[in-house]
Amino acid sequence: MTLRMSTLFLRTLREDPVDAEVPSHRLLVRAGYVRRAAPGIYSWLPLGYKVYRNVEAIVREEMDAIGAQEVHFPALLPREPYEASNRWMEYGDNVFRLKDRKGADYLLGPTHEEMFTLLVKDLYSSYKDLPLSIYQIQTKYRDEPRPRAGILRGREFVMKDSYSFDVTDEDFKASYDAHRAAYIKMFDRFGLDYVIVAAMSGAMGGSASEEFLAIAENGEDTYVRCTSCDYAANVEAVRVPAPAVQEYDDAPAAHAENTPDTPTIETLVDHLNEKFPREDRAWTAADTLKNVVVTAAHPDGTREPIAIGVPGDREVDEKRLGAQLEPAEVQAFTEADFAANPALKKGYIGPGVLGEKRESGIRYLLDPRVVEGTRWVTGADVDGSHVLDLVAGRDFTGDGTIEAAEVRDGDACPNCGSPLESARGIEMGHIFQLGRKYSEALDLRVLDQNGKLVTVTMGSYGVGVSRAVAAIIENSHDELGIIWPREVSPADVHLVATGKDAEVFETAERLTAELEAAGVSVLFDDRQKVSPGVKFKDAELIGVPTIVVVGKGLADGQVEVKDRATGDRENVALDAVVAHVARVVHGG
Ligand code: ATP
Ligand code: MG
């Protein structure tokens, strides 16, 4: 059906919306695809909804193609299943909770593992019923702490989530691989530049997982890739290879020294080089052990101080730390917290007081580089004093290790040792090996061949359907507007009639009908009293990949065909233009 600009429910804007931080948000609002209803909550307008449905159709086709079956759950869900899996609490403030008129608790589903698991449990009881993969395309609700970037991170958004149910590990592997392959097809059809990276499993639980990231400077996810092998991982999931244990038989005993006014690593290193110069080389920040204390706010409301020891040349990476401590939320360790923990001397905190068995009682987690035998300069727990030659394993131990130190370009690849490099991306999809976390929590078991009850193995697979619309724009736009990849564009061609000539409009009208008859969908700019300049600007902003201009050239029997992405234009004879455009659109 032809979309006519004269009647289309559309207002394009010349100005950027004030709250828009990223190009996709700016362009979706300016080109009249979405309107904000509340923070992180958007309405789709006709053009936007067309693109959204194109994306949805691709997702649906690829899921159906691997034999997954579509179901549809409610978004409004009872508390009990989420209580059983512990997520009513674990999800914390991210869940929209509400009560019905009788006072019963409900939530707006942030994700649906529990419901799927229970539905299968309700209906199936034998290995003969499996394997099974079911999915839905559903509106999800998460009270995100920082709804930003428009539909890229909404508080209401659409996700495709699917779940696989298998009895054996081999069958599960096949389900996982089928989803992975379907995702590759989907993301190719979206026209996205993307990478597949190893990921953390987060609140979903389970063992292994991979993420599909759209490569984008504005992405919130940082990933690293190896400059030599095919290793790629979300930075949260990078495992630092632990160095070998070192000999320390001839290490001197640890000794505390006066280091006045050295509360930062920089001041400490300068002081060491001045007052305690080494013979072999200068001291560097990497010789120091920095102890950072944070507060973990657990979902049950308790606040736990945690100390993290990292080499002084590295910062603690908030996201890596957050991912490790999930479902707890990381908060700052405040002045009041220091006052409540007098053993901690700000700027001079050391292993002497850290650890569950030591004075502070604070859990002390160490970077994997702090292996037995490594020697450190670190706080002496006295103002203006540090300890030198403190040997890990001899003089101190932690309560465990933690992957919280920043990962830097040039760090060694955990696979092959070559340098890593980092880039940014937008998480578009996530495939998880859930294992038996939910089936155990909710007791989903079936009888196997021997009549024995076995727990079902599950996988969970998400795609950000609404987010994809924005991510595609992040990948594909210029200073003039959006450039849609063909498969998701709201129309195949944008046909612009310019001038005042009745013949132009009649010809454009006829071409539109002929294009539609040839299977080419048309966004037809049939507005009578709008200048050509405004029409061209709108066409560039809206981003349909092929623009056809019927105007001045018509006197010579010519129509202009323009490629939105490259800017290439060519004049095509009027009687050849329909066949020409159909070829451009359909390929070949
Ligand atoms: P993120 O780290 O970006 O918050 P997530 O790890 O919470 O994502 P999942 O729970 O795995 O995401 O959800 C599956 C998919 O749903 C994600 O890969 C993403 O594409 C999409 N998604 C998640 N949160 C949002 C949101 N707030 N707005 C839009 N899409 C989202
Ligand atoms: Mg999230």
Side-chain angles (χ1 to χ4, degrees), residues 203-438:
M204 298 294 170
S207 48
S209 76
E210 290 173 290
E211 279 169 4
F212 288 67
L213 302 181
I215 300 169
E217 275 168 39
N218 290 314
E220 289 182 47
D221 285 84
T222 306
Y223 67 96
V224 294
R225 56 186 170 218
C226 180
T227 49
S228 147
C229 75
D230 62 3
Y231 176 82
N234 190 308
V235 79
E236 295 167 13
V238 172
R239 294 284 153 274
V240 171
V245 169
Q246 295 176 19
E247 293 286 331
Y248 54 89
D249 291 347
D250 52 2
H255 46 110
E257 300 290 352
N258 271 333
T259 55
D261 300 322
T262 56
T264 63
I265 297 294
E266 208 188 350
T267 51
L268 173 62
V269 170
D270 287 347
H271 185 91
L272 292 170
N273 280 320
E274 192 185 322
K275 296 281 160 50
F276 307 93
R278 291 175 68 124
E279 282 168 13
D280 53 342
R281 59 171 173 81
W283 292 101
T284 71
D287 298 314
T288 70
L289 179 64
K290 174 162 67 182
N291 299 298
V292 179
V293 190
V294 298
T295 301
H298 293 287
D300 65 1
T302 55
R303 295 177 84 249
E304 179 200 6
I306 295 180
I308 293 138
V310 295
D313 62 332
R314 286 179 194 264
E315 298 301 324
V316 169
D317 177 321
E318 249 174 66
K319 283 199 127 184
R320 270 166 65 73
L321 177 62
Q324 296 297 324
L325 296 184
E326 235 179 62
E329 195 183 292
V330 179
Q331 294 176 358
F333 196 75
T334 61
E335 289 302 330
D337 292 322
F338 271 106
N341 289 275
L344 303 179
K345 297 286 178 289
K346 201 173 177 183
Y348 301 92
I349 301 170
V353 297
L354 298 175
E356 285 167 335
K357 298 206 187 82
R358 303 219 183 203
E359 190 182 342
S360 71
I362 294 176
R363 187 143 68 102
Y364 184 34
L365 303 173
L366 290 165
D367 185 79
R369 295 171 189 84
V370 188
V371 291
E372 188 180 339
T374 48
R375 254 191 254 183
W376 303 94
V377 177
T378 189
D381 305 302
V382 176
D383 278 330
S385 177
H386 283 89
V387 190
L388 279 68
D389 293 311
L390 197 76
V391 175
R394 180 189 73 180
D395 303 322
F396 72 101
T397 51
D399 299 309
T401 57
I402 189 163
E403 291 278 0
E406 61 178 327
V407 178
R408 290 195 299 234
D409 283 18
D411 280 356
C413 168
N415 238 6
C416 75
S418 301
L420 294 174
E421 62 182 14
S422 62
R424 297 183 74 83
I426 300 167
E427 182 187 324
M428 294 309 309
H430 200 165
I431 52 180
F432 296 98
Q433 310 193 2
L434 278 185
R436 300 186 175 85
K437 173 169 169 159
Y438 292 93

Side-chain angles (χ1 to χ4, degrees), residues 508-539:
E509 201 59 72
R510 180 170 56 77
L511 285 180
T512 296
E514 287 175 19
L515 284 167
E516 292 281 354
V520 175
S521 64
V522 182
L523 171 59
F524 179 21
D525 198 342
D526 60 341
R527 291 175 295 177
Q528 298 275 358
K529 287 187 181 124
V530 175
S531 76
V534 167
K535 290 186 174 181
F536 294 145
K537 274 211 164 62
D538 277 345

